[in-house]
Amino acid sequence: MMSSFFPRIPLFLTFLLLLSSHHAVRAEFPSKFLNMAKSPEQFEYMVRIRRTLHENPELGYEEFETSKLIRNELDRMGIPYKSPIAITGVVGYVGTGHPPFVAIRADMDALAMQEAVEWEHKSKVPGRMHACGHDAHVAMLLGAAKMLQENRMDLEGTVLLVFQPAEEGGGGAKKMVEAGILENVDAIFGLHVSTRHPLGAVAANSGPILAGNGFFEAKITGKGGHAAIPQQIIDPVVASSSIIVSLQHLVSRETDPLDSQVVTVGKFQGGRTFNVIPDTVTLGGTFRAFSKENFMQLKHRIEEVIIRQAGVQRCNASVNFLSPFYPATINDAHLDKHFRAVAETMLGDGNIKDLQASMGAEDFAFFAEAIPGYFYFVGMANETEGLLESGHSPYFRVNEAALPYGAALQASLAATYLREHRQGPVPSSHDEL
Ligand code: NI
């Protein structure tokens, strides 16, 4: 229809028509999807999914029931998918099945901790809790999937729905990338709920927003014995204390004060009683930096300091670095413009908050390292909910009123991206669907 219609009208008119439709499009998806997401039917759908997942939390690479629930929902919506990827991962496909391809992502795993919030839908699994809101992330992505599928005739390419396992230290995103899910994909968007930003607002920024993260563990070996005859033993407790103090000099004395880096020793395990010096001490910690170069330098120096400082005290040391290292999360500058345009249309200028970079780490970094990526935070704070404890607290709570915002943003970011990056002439029909 388009091809027979356009040649009959003057070129400048065609141009004007394209221009105005382009602008209309910018506003069309964000307001449409936010209205849909807030409708009682869609909202209740997401709340139900989120509460079901909250009651049944699963740890990284063990998200079998979560994965099954996602596949059942996609089946019900008529959305094809690939699974399993990286053990429990699922990737759904909505749209034409043709390029361009854009991805939206949710993480599925819970944490090994006991929920302390007393409510109707409290975790049913002792020692397991969705304390980071990944249950809400899955609900939002399924909500987005539903809206995109209902509007599939308007999609001018394909949206990948990426449900990944093991965000919390397991490197699930890395495994998904290695499985090739991002082949031919132009961009990926990810979100996290935020207890620090107001409901109806988002926080984001271009460039590095979260640090690269590594974990180390060291074993310091001496020669244990009676606490009262230190001359006959080699004390790994004192050696380890020197090591910890020396490690604290790496950031304070060897790095640029204007370039943020962190070394923390959070684990120190040695003897069990007052009057016995143990044979060994185990130390463990984390180190963080924004650039790969600084990160690798820290890694090199941590190993060197532990081994040499142990030697000063006549101990032996071995150092292990736990893989994988998480790269820094770096938001693409072009996607930042896209994000701001979509989010401003949906939420208004005042509701796009500047995100200050932090030393936290996020598995999404593996996606954003492979292709242009954008990670943003969706506010949950309001007066009705009162004080919301931060993620990884046993008192963490999700404000479910944020679900429509996350779903509508993910769906709009993807649909608008496809329209702005469509390839070739506008297809006259979507019969292939
Ligand atoms: Ni999280």
Side-chain angles (χ1 to χ4, degrees):
M1 194 179 85
M2 290 295 225
S3 52
S4 60
F5 174 66
F6 273 138
R8 282 189 224 147
I9 53 173
L11 198 64
F12 78 92
L13 230 173
T14 311
F15 179 72
L16 276 178
L17 272 170
L18 281 171
L19 202 72
S20 60
S21 77
H22 183 81
H23 279 259
V25 156
R26 269 254 150 109
E28 174 200 322
F29 283 127
S31 48
K32 183 176 188 177
F33 284 140
L34 186 59
N35 286 336
M36 277 184 86
K38 282 184 169 177
S39 70
E41 188 208 343
Q42 179 78 7
F43 178 65
E44 279 153 28
Y45 169 75
M46 290 190 284
V47 167
R48 183 169 56 76
I49 297 285
R50 188 254 152 178
R51 290 180 180 179
T52 304
L53 294 176
H54 194 85
E55 287 177 2
N56 302 286
E58 297 175 296
L59 298 183
Y61 298 122
E62 295 172 7
E63 308 96 333
F64 296 106
E65 292 305 312
T66 306
S67 178
K68 197 164 136 193
L69 177 148
I70 291 165
R71 283 177 277 128
N72 286 342
E73 290 304 318
L74 295 179
D75 280 336
R76 215 166 283 163
M77 296 175 205
I79 295 176
Y81 54 81
K82 278 186 195 156
S83 183
I85 303 168
I87 303 175
T88 55
V90 182
V91 177
Y93 299 86
V94 191
T96 62
H98 299 291
F101 295 97
V102 64
I104 45 181
R105 166 272 201 179
D107 38 15
M108 309 188 287
D109 55 328
L111 287 155
M113 55 192 287
Q114 179 61 41
E115 176 160 17
V117 188
E118 295 302 331
W119 70 304
E120 207 189 328
H121 300 282
K122 183 178 175 173
S123 168
K124 287 179 179 167
V125 190
R128 302 274 186 276
M129 178 189 179
H130 266 294
C132 200
H134 299 186
D135 48 350
H137 300 166
V138 171
M140 287 166 172
L141 192 53
L142 283 173
K146 210 157 170 269
M147 297 191 293
L148 288 166
Q149 177 70 347
E150 282 169 26
N151 288 274
R152 62 188 177 279
M153 298 303 181
D154 295 328
L155 296 180
E156 297 180 50
T158 308
V159 181
L160 276 75
L161 311 160
V162 177
F163 297 90
Q164 74 147 90
E167 190 281 325
E168 302 282 1
K174 186 167 192 268
K175 285 205 164 66
M176 299 284 281
V177 172
E178 284 164 358
I181 65 151
L182 294 182
E183 229 169 87
N184 302 321
V185 179
D186 295 332
I188 183 163
F189 296 93
L191 60 72
H192 207 292
V193 290
S194 164
T195 55
R196 292 180 301 121
H197 297 95
L199 182 70
V202 288
N205 234 333
S206 187
I209 54 157
L210 293 163
N213 174 29
F215 293 111
F216 63 92
E217 193 165 66
K219 198 170 164 187
I220 320 302
T221 307
K223 180 170 168 279
H226 199 297
I229 43 174
Q231 73 277 19
Q232 289 180 12
I233 56 97
I234 299 172
D235 189 345
V237 175
V238 173
S240 298
S241 306
S242 300
I243 288 169
I244 293 169
V245 173
S246 297
L247 287 174
Q248 287 313 308
H249 296 158
L250 292 181
V251 173
S252 75
R253 297 295 81 185
E254 296 184 20
T255 71
D256 182 346
L258 296 178
D259 184 358
S260 307
Q261 300 184 34
V262 166
V263 176
T264 291
V265 175
K267 177 178 175 181
F268 190 147
Q269 289 173 340
R272 295 173 150 264
T273 190
F274 302 114
N275 54 359
V276 178
I277 291 162
D279 281 325
T280 62
V281 165
T282 306
L283 298 180
T286 176
F287 59 109
R288 301 180 179 212
F290 282 100
S291 77
K292 203 159 205 164
E293 194 191 342
N294 289 341
F295 186 83
M296 294 319 283
Q297 174 65 12
L298 270 186
K299 173 181 180 283
H300 166 72
R301 286 290 289 148
I302 285 168
E303 183 165 17
E304 196 167 69
V305 164
I306 291 173
I307 287 169
R308 290 196 184 176
Q309 192 58 259
V312 169
Q313 315 274 1
R314 299 176 297 152
C315 286
N316 288 316
S318 59
V319 185
N320 268 320
F321 290 94
L322 281 61
S323 58
F325 295 136
Y326 280 34
T329 305
I330 299 168
N331 275 347
D332 181 82
H334 290 290
L335 296 183
D336 184 59
K337 288 200 184 88
H338 178 73
F339 174 80
R340 279 171 201 279
V342 169
E344 272 173 24
T345 311
M346 187 186 295
L347 310 169
D349 283 14
N351 284 320
I352 320 297
K353 311 287 180 196
D354 255 357
L355 180 71
Q356 254 201 319
S358 84
M359 301 309 290
E362 166 59 59
D363 198 32
F364 183 81
F366 287 111
F367 294 128
E369 194 182 45
I371 62 169
Y374 200 83
F375 193 74
Y376 61 98
F377 291 82
V378 176
M380 298 199 293
N382 68 352
E383 276 170 17
T384 330
E385 289 294 320
L387 178 75
L388 292 172
E389 297 285 342
S390 65
H392 297 212
S393 156
Y395 296 98
F396 177 81
R397 287 178 297 126
V398 160
N399 181 356
E400 290 170 339
L403 295 172
Y405 293 101
L409 279 162
Q410 290 291 66
S412 306
L413 286 165
T416 312
Y417 185 92
L418 293 182
R419 190 153 285 184
E420 288 173 0
H421 295 81
R422 63 187 167 200
Q423 295 172 356
V426 183
S428 56
S429 78
H430 291 266
D431 290 342
E432 66 270 31
L433 282 166

